[in-house]
Amino acid sequence: MSLNSNLARNVEVEMPLQSPLATPKQTNSPIHKPIPGKSIVTRTEKMLIGMIMTIAFTLIAVSISLEINVASINRALQDTKTSIVSTTTINNNLKQEVQELSRYDRIYKIANNQGLKMNEANVRNVIK
C-alpha cells in the first residue's frame, strides 16, 4: 500500500482496559435520613397554631368591622354638621328679613295705607 492513497485504513490498535476509579464506600449512617414516624410539629403545636390563626383572623375581622363603623359614623357626623350650617344660615336670613320688615317707617307707611293714625296716648314703650 502506498502512502499516497486517500482511502481510509482500518488500523487495529490495542487499548489497555482501564478499571474505573475507586467508588466511595456507602455507609449505613443515619446522618441524612429522617426518622420515620416522627413528625416535626406535634399535635399540641398544631392545635396551638390553629387557635392563634383563628384568634388573628377574628381580630382582623373585628378591626375591619370597627373601621367601617367609624367611617359611617364620621359620614353621618359630617352630614349633621352640614345640615346644622344650612339651618343656621336659613335662620340668620330669616332674622334679617324680620328686622327689615319690622322697620318703623315701613310699619308707619302700611298703617297710613290702612287708614290708621298715630295717637300718642295709646302708644306704650316696651323695654326688653
Side-chain angles (χ1 to χ4, degrees):
M1 293 191 137
S2 73
L3 293 174
N4 295 337
S5 170
N6 288 338
L7 297 174
R9 289 179 278 185
N10 189 4
V11 179
E12 292 184 25
V13 178
E14 288 186 30
M15 299 279 254
L17 292 175
Q18 294 181 355
S19 64
L21 298 175
T23 58
K25 294 181 181 179
Q26 293 183 353
T27 59
N28 292 334
S29 64
I31 294 174
H32 299 294
K33 293 182 181 178
I35 300 172
K38 292 280 186 171
S39 109
I40 296 173
V41 181
T42 64
R43 186 175 189 187
T44 307
E45 290 172 339
K46 287 179 184 178
M47 286 177 34
L48 186 62
I49 289 171
M51 287 173 43
I52 289 173
M53 290 179 68
T54 303
I55 291 171
F57 177 75
T58 304
L59 288 176
I60 289 171
V62 168
S63 174
I64 291 172
S65 173
L66 288 175
E67 285 183 27
I68 291 172
N69 192 15
V70 166
S72 65
I73 289 173
N74 280 339
R75 179 65 183 164
L77 179 65
Q78 288 176 349
D79 291 343
T80 304
K81 284 182 179 180
T82 304
S83 174
I84 289 172
V85 168
S86 173
T87 304
T88 303
T89 304
I90 291 171
N91 285 343
N92 288 337
N93 290 341
L94 291 174
K95 284 180 185 178
Q96 184 178 359
E97 186 177 346
V98 166
Q99 288 177 352
E100 288 176 4
L101 293 176
S102 63
R103 285 190 333 242
Y104 178 76
D105 58 339
R106 181 179 176 277
I107 294 173
Y108 189 71
K109 184 177 179 183
I110 293 173
N112 281 338
N113 287 342
Q114 297 294 324
L116 299 174
K117 296 192 180 201
M118 184 71 159
N119 187 353
E120 293 289 331
N122 292 335
V123 175
R124 290 187 181 176
N125 289 331
V126 179
I127 300 174
K128 290 184 179 182

